[in-house]
Amino acid sequence: MANNFKEASVDEITQVMQQAQTAFEAYQQTSIEQKSVFLEAIAAEIEALGDGLLQKASEETNLPIPRLTGERARTTGQLRMFATMLREGSWVEASIDTANPDRAPLPKPDVRKMLTPLGPVVVFGASNFPFAYSTAGGDTASALAAGCPVVVKAHPAHAETSEMVYSAIKKAIVSSNMPGHIFQHVHGTSFESGKALVQADETAAVGFTGSTVGGLALLQYSSQRKKPIPVFSEMGSINPVVFLPDTLNKNAADLAAQYAGSITLGMGQFCTNPGLMLAIEGDGLYSFLDSLGKGIEAIKPAKMLHAGIHTAYQKKSHEALAQDGVKVIQKSAVEAQDIEALPTVALVSGKTFLANPLLHEEVFGPYSLMVNCKDEQELLKVLKSVSGQLTTTVMGTDEDFAAHKALLQLLPSIAGRVLFNGVPTGVEVCHSMVHGGPFPATTDSRFTAVGTNAVKRWVRPVCYQNCPDGLLPLALQNANPLGIWRLVDNEWKK
Amino acid sequence: MANNFKEASVDEITQVMQQAQTAFEAYQQTSIEQKSVFLEAIAAEIEALGDGLLQKASEETNLPIPRLTGERARTTGQLRMFATMLREGSWVEASIDTANPDRAPLPKPDVRKMLTPLGPVVVFGASNFPFAYSTAGGDTASALAAGCPVVVKAHPAHAETSEMVYSAIKKAIVSSNMPGHIFQHVHGTSFESGKALVQADETAAVGFTGSTVGGLALLQYSSQRKKPIPVFSEMGSINPVVFLPDTLNKNAADLAAQYAGSITLGMGQFCTNPGLMLAIEGDGLYSFLDSLGKGIEAIKPAKMLHAGIHTAYQKKSHEALAQDGVKVIQKSAVEAQDIEALPTVALVSGKTFLANPLLHEEVFGPYSLMVNCKDEQELLKVLKSVSGQLTTTVMGTDEDFAAHKALLQLLPSIAGRVLFNGVPTGVEVCHSMVHGGPFPATTDSRFTAVGTNAVKRWVRPVCYQNCPDGLLPLALQNANPLGIWRLVDNEWKK
């Protein structure tokens, strides 16, 4: 994927990472308030770029302006959310165990713990979110909030948009009086530049959003390092949705309308796209498929993000549809032109799905496969056969839930987020969100890429033993000068 | 390292891991109270083994009975601590963001998050803690508490002790009515059995305590897996201790007595042993060295854990002492016999230390090297030159601390635990303890191996979106039936 920017050389990357390390030391001397103001300034400078930013992003990604307007709001909202989190302060997980000098046989020391930043974080943004998962997206915002310098490799598919966002961050660095290299931006279209970024001595952690191939390559580069570092790759998912019998019988048309929309939202270019549906054979299912087909037929093709993604969609969807036993339910009634994607839903039996691993693979685009299971046992088997997922969803009535206990127990074991009677597309940015999940959804299921807890990827705990009060970080001092929630001798206190 | 037990074959390990996976599913159906009772039963059954267990461990490890008595108490204490943690319940980090159906442009869903177990955990225990970091040690206790089945590879150096502890766990499994394979025990003296355990499909995480070579081998095996898993290797440390000038001038004799004890405690066979000391040249330092020499001279050699560790100590200490510019301060006055270790302290200049990486390596045993720095700048340089550490300690008066701000800022960047006016040997088991640190102290600085937070290595977050209240796990239900601390709409509540 070529663009007009010069590829960073390995030497340049070495220098960038050394500068990041120097900035790390300076950044640790800035106050919580200064960091918060900095994050807010980035948000304001992005807004100040105005419609020009939206137009550039739309040109580069083919995403419509209203969608990009919403994504920009999410991006600036995330930056401000992390500023609020910093000021609120309890994210550092301060905990205090006070001393007991009289304990026998040994006195109990005073031990206090909090989270501290890891160091320079390298971020590889996503093609499908030019704002929210890119240059100033969730990885960058959470790492800067954590106290880590950030180096972003611009996504080649929207490198000019990335440059514009970078210009906004540079202005914020100046106006907030931050270390000049607290955020740096490099271009690269090759795996070599990614390798150099991951393998630099100073790199302390990596955040990636994108394809399985890309995410695993970074993990592989990292495993060749002398000093291991955490790599958080978020690599997508087929997001299984189970439709239970009673709701299919009662609500087939409504469910179909909801899912025709979710499958084709943003031309299916979401990692939470419902690429797999499961149901038990019956009239409810056929009625649902009939309505779903009509819904899909009515949805017009639209341009995908770039030619590479379109080619992959063509290849993967044709491959899936060519498998024995796979039947097209419906495609869009309008022919796809150029790099447009053709919305498509297909049907396969549980038995065939279980026997053919190719059908388990993600088809990134407006595509979903319904697995027609002969009974609940087969449905559970199908669900167990798919790998780790970002989300899994169950659609059902109270009667359904009462009748399918084993299914409900299984769901949390395969995904980071379990939804009830909704669609997986759309990820709420909040404390409790888990946008992560067992491999291959991510490389480390213990963390989330969305929500305030995304900051936890870039920090480690440090404890202080018998430290004089005045020398402790503010978060751990007796008087609680930051006024934050802390676990003090096993009680949460403020 | 040979013993009388049959090495588990790769086929046997495959079967063991499959059994662990089956036990995982059954274990998830047991209640919090059942798991707590199980952990307590293990503690009671270990105590019921009586003096026979202590004698066997002493035979196998050469550790004295009083030390083993203390370690047994710590081990049973840890098991009971995790039972208490389960009943208290807030370790699951329950958080709730309630819905707002009126929010524009999109309604806000109800999202609730908690921690859930990863799956079967493989534990490789330590040679130097036959109870507390072995068969029923901290890794096992925290993994069972998390809800994970455990497979322990017995340490070959105390395989009979491990069998005895295993017999206690088996009794507890029966009396607590737990799945038969919730804990399994295999023998192996080869790297092959370790590899098979790490690479089994069902293995979800690995805990290791021991040498750098062993810990890195497991990480390497894990990097060859198709599905990546977390590997937490705790691999030791040289635990730098900085002695500041004012305290050296005022308290040289007391400091020396404290450190002669810490350096030789348990014949130095602790990962928190103070293997590196730093000070600025001056009369205080010379007076300290004089007293320290007298202290070390008076300490008698004692047998090390096993012949392999003794051989390594001989080799590493001779190698270090043979380096240009390294001078012995003092050795024990008594000759070492058989596999006894000879307590030894040595001295080197800052300049020589900085130029010779071999001097940065751990010498596992009753050995410590004092680095005589010409000024504070050199001392900071020496401290920055050492790699990641479990602990770092500063000894100083208030005057010292006021005069050495840059040093105090540096300390948390190199270690998981920062101590003031104490010794690093001795690790308090509590909420705030961090027994971990940057590589090469561990393979993942984001976690601790000691204290309640050790459980966080074996869990991942799951969130539930718009889940009917009755279908939520108890920890997330509206009425808070477990009565636990939860973050509800950004407020901690009980």
Side-chain angles (χ1 to χ4, degrees):
Chain A
M1 204 179 300
N3 59 40
N4 296 324
F5 294 96
K6 190 179 155 290
E7 175 107 6
S9 69
V10 172
D11 281 352
E12 282 162 348
I13 286 170
T14 302
Q15 196 191 339
V16 159
M17 295 314 304
Q18 285 167 354
Q19 288 166 174
Q21 179 64 37
T22 305
F24 179 42
E25 285 156 33
Y27 195 45
Q28 287 182 279
Q29 306 312 315
T30 64
S31 68
I32 292 169
E33 183 57 24
Q34 285 173 302
K35 290 191 187 80
S36 306
V37 166
F38 174 44
L39 292 170
E40 289 166 340
I42 298 174
E45 293 291 353
I46 289 172
E47 285 162 350
L49 291 170
D51 290 351
L53 178 67
L54 302 175
Q55 278 149 15
K56 176 56 73 185
S58 185
E59 251 171 52
E60 289 194 305
T61 64
N62 299 316
L63 293 171
I65 297 289
R67 145 72 197 269
L68 288 168
T69 307
E71 191 185 326
R72 181 181 60 182
R74 174 170 167 180
T75 307
T76 53
Q78 281 179 164
L79 286 157
R80 292 181 174 118
M81 173 190 78
F82 282 111
T84 304
M85 181 195 82
L86 288 184
R87 291 200 181 96
E88 194 276 335
S90 59
W91 73 277
V92 298
E93 297 180 5
S95 82
I96 296 176
D97 291 294
T98 54
N100 178 2
D102 302 328
R103 190 185 63 177
L106 288 172
K108 181 167 173 278
D110 179 284
V111 184
R112 299 170 186 232
K113 179 214 71 177
M114 66 179 289
L115 298 173
T116 186
L118 287 178
V121 172
V122 171
V123 172
F124 297 86
S127 65
N128 59 340
F129 279 92
F131 303 143
Y133 288 90
S134 286
T135 321
D139 287 358
T140 295
S142 58
L144 290 175
C148 299
V150 171
V151 175
V152 162
K153 188 169 94 61
H155 198 290
H158 44 70
E160 293 187 40
T161 303
S162 196
E163 275 289 335
M164 288 182 78
V165 174
Y166 176 40
S167 73
I169 300 174
K170 276 194 287 193
K171 283 187 186 169
I173 288 175
V174 173
S175 73
S176 319
N177 202 20
M178 283 289 147
H181 296 113
I182 193 63
F183 179 92
Q184 296 175 91
H185 187 249
V186 300
H187 291 278
T189 58
S190 68
F191 272 53
E192 280 64 37
S193 54
K195 185 175 176 177
L197 285 163
V198 171
Q199 296 190 341
D201 283 348
E202 295 81 6
T203 303
V206 174
F208 168 88
T209 312
S211 70
T212 303
V213 171
L216 291 184
L218 298 184
L219 192 66
Q220 180 65 20
Y221 298 150
S222 136
S223 76
Q224 295 159 356
R225 289 176 59 100
K226 192 166 171 274
K227 174 180 173 170
I229 53 169
V231 174
F232 189 86
S233 296
E234 191 266 88
M235 303 177 292
S237 186
I238 55 173
N239 303 295
V241 182
V242 178
F243 296 86
L244 289 172
D246 191 47
T247 195
L248 281 178
N249 287 331
K250 289 176 179 157
N251 311 305
D254 284 353
L255 295 173
Q258 227 179 332
Y259 270 82
S262 180
I263 291 164
T264 57
L265 189 71
M267 277 298 105
Q269 299 168 114
F270 291 112
C271 48
T272 53
N273 184 257
L276 191 73
M277 302 178 284
L278 291 77
I280 297 168
E281 180 146 40
D283 288 344
L285 172 58
Y286 293 118
S287 156
F288 169 79
L289 291 177
D290 190 52
S291 299
L292 181 66
K294 286 184 187 130
I296 293 293
E297 194 179 8
I299 290 164
K300 289 188 190 136
K303 276 192 186 174
M304 298 193 80
L305 289 158
H306 57 77
I309 282 196
H310 177 257
T311 305
Y313 178 63
Q314 295 289 93
K315 181 174 173 289
K316 295 288 268 182
S317 61
H318 288 172
E319 212 169 49
L321 295 173
Q323 301 300 301
D324 277 350
V326 176
K327 190 186 150 236
V328 172
I329 301 168
Q330 193 54 263
K331 298 188 179 191
S332 168
V334 179
E335 278 298 311
Q337 308 292 331
D338 188 29
I339 64 163
E340 289 179 351
L342 191 69
T344 305
V345 285
L347 181 67
V348 72
S349 74
K351 192 178 162 192
T352 304
F353 181 86
L354 285 166
N356 190 345
L358 186 139
L359 298 174
H360 299 212
E361 289 177 19
E362 185 178 11
V363 178
F364 192 75
Y367 171 90
S368 191
L369 178 66
M370 170 63 85
V371 184
N372 182 356
C373 303
K374 68 172 198 278
D375 54 25
E376 190 190 4
Q377 284 318 301
E378 190 174 76
L379 187 146
L380 292 174
K381 236 168 138 178
V382 167
L383 208 50
K384 280 183 186 173
S385 78
V386 300
S387 328
Q389 303 290 331
L390 292 172
T391 76
T392 185
T393 303
V394 57
M395 309 298 283
T397 61
D398 289 349
E399 289 69 28
D400 280 323
F401 297 143
H404 294 89
K405 294 283 183 210
L407 169 73
L408 297 181
Q409 275 165 14
L410 180 61
L411 295 174
S413 74
I414 67 165
R417 179 162 58 119
V418 181
L419 294 96
F420 291 75
N421 290 321
V423 295
T425 42
V427 182
E428 181 69 21
V429 180
C430 62
H431 293 302
S432 304
M433 178 48 61
V434 179
H435 187 67
F439 183 84
T442 76
T443 48
D444 194 340
S445 66
R446 293 172 299 174
F447 298 92
T448 173
V450 173
T452 46
N453 280 309
V455 74
K456 303 291 167 74
R457 295 173 294 171
W458 322 123
V459 289
R460 65 181 175 89
V462 168
C463 77
Y464 296 81
Q465 184 166 324
N466 291 336
C467 181
D469 194 57
L471 301 179
L472 283 164
L474 295 175
L476 298 179
Q477 291 182 2
N478 284 329
N480 194 8
L482 300 178
I484 61 176
W485 285 105
R486 310 191 294 186
L487 188 67
V488 181
D489 292 327
N490 210 21
E491 287 285 316
W492 284 97
K493 287 185 183 163
K494 201 166 177 172
Chain B
M1 204 179 300
N3 58 41
N4 296 323
F5 295 97
K6 191 178 154 291
E7 175 107 6
S9 69
V10 171
D11 281 354
E12 281 162 349
I13 287 170
T14 302
Q15 195 191 339
V16 159
M17 294 314 305
Q18 286 167 354
Q19 287 166 175
Q21 179 64 38
T22 306
F24 179 43
E25 286 157 33
Y27 195 45
Q28 287 182 279
Q29 307 310 315
T30 64
S31 69
I32 292 169
E33 183 56 25
Q34 284 173 303
K35 290 189 187 82
S36 306
V37 166
F38 174 43
L39 291 170
E40 290 166 339
I42 297 173
E45 292 292 353
I46 288 172
E47 286 162 350
L49 291 170
D51 292 350
L53 177 66
L54 301 176
Q55 279 149 13
K56 176 57 72 186
S58 185
E59 251 171 53
E60 288 193 305
T61 64
N62 300 315
L63 293 171
I65 297 288
R67 144 73 197 267
L68 289 168
T69 307
E71 191 186 327
R72 182 181 60 184
R74 174 171 167 179
T75 308
T76 54
Q78 282 179 164
L79 286 156
R80 292 181 174 116
M81 173 190 77
F82 282 110
T84 304
M85 182 195 81
L86 288 184
R87 290 198 182 97
E88 194 275 336
S90 59
W91 73 278
V92 298
E93 297 180 5
S95 82
I96 297 177
D97 291 293
T98 54
N100 178 3
D102 301 327
R103 191 185 62 177
L106 288 170
K108 181 168 173 279
D110 180 285
V111 184
R112 298 169 186 233
K113 178 214 71 176
M114 65 180 288
L115 298 172
T116 186
L118 288 177
V121 172
V122 171
V123 172
F124 297 87
S127 66
N128 60 339
F129 278 92
F131 303 144
Y133 287 90
S134 286
T135 322
D139 287 359
T140 296
S142 58
L144 289 175
C148 299
V150 171
V151 176
V152 162
K153 187 168 94 61
H155 198 289
H158 44 71
E160 294 187 39
T161 303
S162 196
E163 276 288 335
M164 287 182 78
V165 174
Y166 176 40
S167 74
I169 300 174
K170 277 194 285 192
K171 283 187 184 167
I173 288 175
V174 172
S175 72
S176 320
N177 202 21
M178 283 288 145
H181 296 114
I182 192 63
F183 180 93
Q184 297 176 91
H185 187 249
V186 300
H187 291 279
T189 58
S190 69
F191 273 52
E192 280 64 37
S193 53
K195 184 175 178 178
L197 285 163
V198 171
Q199 296 190 340
D201 283 348
E202 295 80 6
T203 302
V206 174
F208 168 86
T209 312
S211 69
T212 304
V213 172
L216 291 184
L218 298 184
L219 193 66
Q220 180 64 18
Y221 298 150
S222 138
S223 75
Q224 295 159 357
R225 289 175 58 101
K226 192 164 170 279
K227 175 181 173 171
I229 54 169
V231 174
F232 189 87
S233 296
E234 192 266 89
M235 303 177 291
S237 189
I238 55 173
N239 303 295
V241 181
V242 178
F243 296 87
L244 289 173
D246 190 48
T247 195
L248 281 179
N249 287 332
K250 289 177 178 155
N251 310 306
D254 284 354
L255 295 172
Q258 229 180 331
Y259 270 82
S262 179
I263 292 164
T264 58
L265 188 72
M267 278 297 107
Q269 297 168 115
F270 291 112
C271 47
T272 54
N273 185 257
L276 190 73
M277 301 177 285
L278 290 78
I280 296 169
E281 180 146 38
D283 288 345
L285 171 58
Y286 293 119
S287 156
F288 170 78
L289 292 176
D290 189 55
S291 299
L292 181 67
K294 288 186 185 127
I296 294 295
E297 194 180 8
I299 290 163
K300 290 189 191 134
K303 276 192 186 175
M304 297 193 81
L305 290 157
H306 57 77
I309 282 197
H310 176 256
T311 305
Y313 178 63
Q314 296 287 94
K315 181 172 172 293
K316 295 287 269 182
S317 59
H318 288 172
E319 213 169 47
L321 295 174
Q323 301 299 303
D324 277 351
V326 176
K327 187 185 151 237
V328 172
I329 301 169
Q330 193 55 266
K331 300 186 178 190
S332 168
V334 180
E335 278 298 309
Q337 309 292 329
D338 188 27
I339 63 163
E340 288 177 352
L342 190 68
T344 305
V345 285
L347 181 67
V348 73
S349 72
K351 192 178 161 193
T352 305
F353 182 86
L354 286 165
N356 190 346
L358 186 138
L359 297 174
H360 300 212
E361 290 177 18
E362 185 177 12
V363 178
F364 192 75
Y367 172 89
S368 190
L369 178 66
M370 169 63 83
V371 184
N372 181 357
C373 302
K374 67 172 197 278
D375 54 25
E376 191 190 4
Q377 284 318 304
E378 190 174 76
L379 187 145
L380 292 174
K381 234 167 140 180
V382 167
L383 208 51
K384 280 183 186 172
S385 77
V386 301
S387 329
Q389 303 291 330
L390 292 172
T391 76
T392 185
T393 302
V394 58
M395 309 299 283
T397 61
D398 290 346
E399 288 69 29
D400 280 322
F401 297 143
H404 293 87
K405 294 284 182 209
L407 169 72
L408 298 181
Q409 274 164 14
L410 180 62
L411 295 174
S413 73
I414 66 165
R417 180 162 56 118
V418 181
L419 293 97
F420 290 74
N421 290 320
V423 295
T425 41
V427 182
E428 182 69 22
V429 180
C430 63
H431 293 301
S432 304
M433 178 48 61
V434 179
H435 188 67
F439 183 83
T442 76
T443 49
D444 194 340
S445 65
R446 294 173 299 174
F447 298 92
T448 172
V450 173
T452 46
N453 280 309
V455 75
K456 303 292 166 73
R457 295 172 294 171
W458 322 122
V459 288
R460 65 180 174 92
V462 169
C463 78
Y464 296 82
Q465 183 166 324
N466 291 336
C467 181
D469 195 58
L471 300 180
L472 282 165
L474 294 175
L476 298 179
Q477 291 181 3
N478 285 329
N480 194 8
L482 300 179
I484 62 176
W485 285 105
R486 311 191 293 187
L487 187 67
V488 182
D489 292 326
N490 209 19
E491 287 284 315
W492 284 98
K493 287 184 183 164
K494 202 166 176 172

